[in-house]
């Protein structure tokens, strides 16, 4: 993928309001539903917009818990409660997502926010939407096809942050260390960028004993891959594990424990999932990447509403990227933070992502007390 990226600063948004897609499963429409966009006498669209939101899966907690309610809340704010969000989740099925795009087009949404299951597989659907005059905002993953805007985190930087953290965790042992790389799904363009950033930090500094592209990002697949690595390399010969996200880190750590390791090697992660944060507290996982979801959601909502109204994105998107179909796509990139046991209080707790009570359940109380999480 050929990308040109310049980082941007973005504003922070808030939380929550739910809506479902009638044609794609059980569906309830928001009480603010207006039945689609209206036009004023001058021909300009009002705030009564119908905005499609397609998210890729529900294995990762972030999509349903954070992204969906944050986007819905911001759209409600931007439209004075008049915007209708039509929602569907593809549950990691690219074919289902293609059908959902068709349904959104049939439902005559004014704009589509799309987080692709498979970036290439959605290209035809994006083109269909474009042909029907429906702008597409690629959310979190850079979809192929004639997209109109894009927002995500600086995904290559995510990999750099993970790689640097693993080298830090290995310390003086890094020079002679052997690691396993557990990358994300090859259908996700972000996974390629995470891997690229991580390799820039790891290659030449550690030996990569095994490397896997993990199908569908599933923890159980990461678990099976890790069991294979343990068998091939030997449990005492693995000094660290690069895991591209927290869900996979959970599967990896289960495999490491199952191998009977008395001391777990450092394992990275991403997404600051609750289970991941708890593993960090307990000393089982070394780090995660905290990605402030509110700014990303706010950018997606702001660009979607502006495009639906026929407005330019100059005041929102200060950066650009290229995909295979379009050059200079207006883009908002959000910075990320390395999350370790040392800054849990100043990140996910301070930002209201989790409360101390949610993290420090009885199982983790003693470890939380040691970290001063009370």
């Amino acid at each position: 993928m050929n990308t040109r990226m310049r980082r941007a600063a973005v504003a922070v948004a808030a939380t929550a309001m739910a809506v479902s897609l009638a044609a794609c499963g059980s569906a309830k429409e928001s009480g603010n539903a207006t039945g689609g966009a209206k036009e004023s006498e001058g021909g300009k669209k009002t705030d009564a917009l119908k905005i499609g939101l397609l998210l890729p899966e529900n294995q990762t907690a972030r999509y349903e818990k954070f992204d969906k309610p944050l986007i819905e809340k911001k759209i409600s704010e931007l439209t004075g409660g008049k915007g209708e969000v039509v929602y569907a989740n593809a549950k990691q099925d690219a074919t289902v997502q293609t059908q959902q795009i068709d349904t959104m087009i049939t439902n005559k949404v004014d704009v589509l926010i799309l987080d692709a299951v498979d970036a290439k597989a959605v290209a035809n659907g994006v083109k269909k939407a474009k042909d029907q005059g429906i702008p597409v905002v690629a959310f979190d993953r850079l979809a192929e096809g004639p997209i109109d805007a894009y927002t995500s985190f600086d995904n290559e930087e995510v990999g750099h942050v993970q790689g640097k953290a693993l080298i830090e965790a290995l310390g003086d042992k890094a020079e002679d260390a052997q690691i396993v790389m557990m990358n994300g799904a090859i259908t996700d363009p972000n996974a390629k960028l995470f891997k690229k950033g991580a390799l820039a930090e790891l290659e030449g500094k550690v030996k990569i004993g095994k490397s896997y592209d993990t199908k569908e990002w599933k923890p159980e697949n990461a678990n099976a891959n890790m069991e294979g690595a343990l068998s091939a390399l030997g449990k005492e010969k693995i000094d660290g594990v690069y895991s591209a996200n927290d869900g996979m880190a959970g599967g990896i750590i289960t495999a490491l424990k199952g191998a009977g390791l008395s001391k777990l090697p450092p394992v990275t992660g991403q997404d600051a999932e609750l289970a991941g944060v708890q593993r960090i507290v307990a000393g089982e996982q070394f780090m995660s990447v905290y990605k402030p979801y509110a700014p990303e959601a706010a950018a997606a909502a702001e660009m979607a509403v502006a495009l639906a109204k026929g407005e330019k994105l100059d005041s929102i998107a200060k950066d650009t990227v290229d995909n295979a179909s379009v050059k200079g796509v207006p883009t908002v990139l959000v910075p990320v933070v390395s999350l370790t046991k040392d800054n849990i209080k100043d990140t996910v707790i301070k930002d209201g992502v989790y409360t101390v009570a949610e993290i420090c359940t009885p199982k983790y109380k003693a470890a939380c007390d040691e970290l001063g999480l009370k």
Side-chain angles (χ1 to χ4, degrees), residues 45-273:
K45 287 182 179 176
T46 70
D47 288 330
L49 304 172
K50 184 186 284 189
I51 297 173
L53 173 61
L54 295 182
L55 296 182
E57 46 107 336
N58 55 5
Q59 292 276 323
T60 306
R62 60 164 289 189
Y63 295 112
E64 299 283 337
K65 182 170 182 179
F66 298 112
D67 295 314
K68 177 178 179 284
L70 283 167
I71 289 170
E72 290 173 335
K73 174 65 175 178
K74 188 63 178 178
I75 286 171
S76 180
E77 290 176 359
L78 292 168
T79 62
K82 297 177 182 178
E84 174 190 359
V85 177
V86 188
Y87 173 69
N89 189 306
K91 299 181 179 178
Q92 200 61 48
D93 190 322
T95 302
V96 167
Q97 189 166 70
T98 297
Q99 294 167 350
Q100 290 171 343
I101 293 172
D102 288 341
T103 301
M104 292 286 184
I105 294 170
T106 301
N107 283 355
K108 298 186 181 343
V109 296
D110 295 298
V111 63
L112 188 59
I113 299 173
L114 170 66
D115 192 340
V117 173
D118 184 322
K120 293 182 179 178
V122 298
N124 286 337
V126 172
K127 185 178 185 303
K128 281 185 188 178
K130 188 78 169 181
D131 289 345
Q132 294 299 314
I134 301 170
V136 177
V137 177
F139 175 70
D140 203 58
R141 297 172 180 172
L142 185 62
E144 296 297 339
I147 60 174
D148 297 88
Y150 171 58
T151 183
S152 186
F153 298 94
D154 189 336
N155 295 309
E156 196 169 320
E157 180 62 17
V158 169
H160 280 280
V161 167
Q162 293 169 319
K164 285 177 183 175
L166 187 53
I167 294 296
E168 176 190 330
L170 292 169
D172 294 338
K173 298 177 182 178
E175 187 176 347
D176 300 316
Q178 177 173 243
I179 69 161
V180 173
M181 286 196 76
M182 202 71 64
N183 306 296
I186 58 173
T187 56
D188 181 350
N190 287 1
K192 181 179 179 180
L193 295 171
F194 302 148
K195 182 195 280 190
K196 181 180 178 182
L199 285 173
E201 300 296 335
L202 297 170
E203 283 185 320
K205 297 177 184 175
V206 295
K207 178 183 177 183
I208 300 171
K210 285 285 182 179
S211 182
Y212 301 88
D213 294 316
T214 309
K215 187 177 180 181
E216 297 179 346
W217 289 93
K218 287 187 175 179
E220 57 264 37
N221 294 335
N223 177 269
N225 290 341
M226 195 65 219
E227 288 179 348
L230 285 160
S231 177
L233 302 175
K235 66 181 183 181
E236 303 299 336
K237 301 290 186 180
I238 298 173
D239 301 298
V241 184
Y242 166 81
S243 173
N245 79 352
D246 289 341
M248 295 196 307
I252 290 163
I253 289 167
T254 298
L256 292 169
K257 286 181 176 179
L261 284 166
S262 56
K263 183 179 179 182
L264 295 177
V267 180
T268 66
Q270 178 183 184
D271 292 326
E273 291 191 357

Side-chain angles (χ1 to χ4, degrees), residues 302-323:
E302 288 167 4
M303 290 193 291
V305 169
L307 287 168
K309 292 183 175 183
E311 297 172 354
K312 293 184 177 181
L313 302 180
D314 299 358
S315 63
I316 304 169
K318 304 299 183 184
D319 301 320
T320 63
V321 301
D322 303 338
N323 71 6

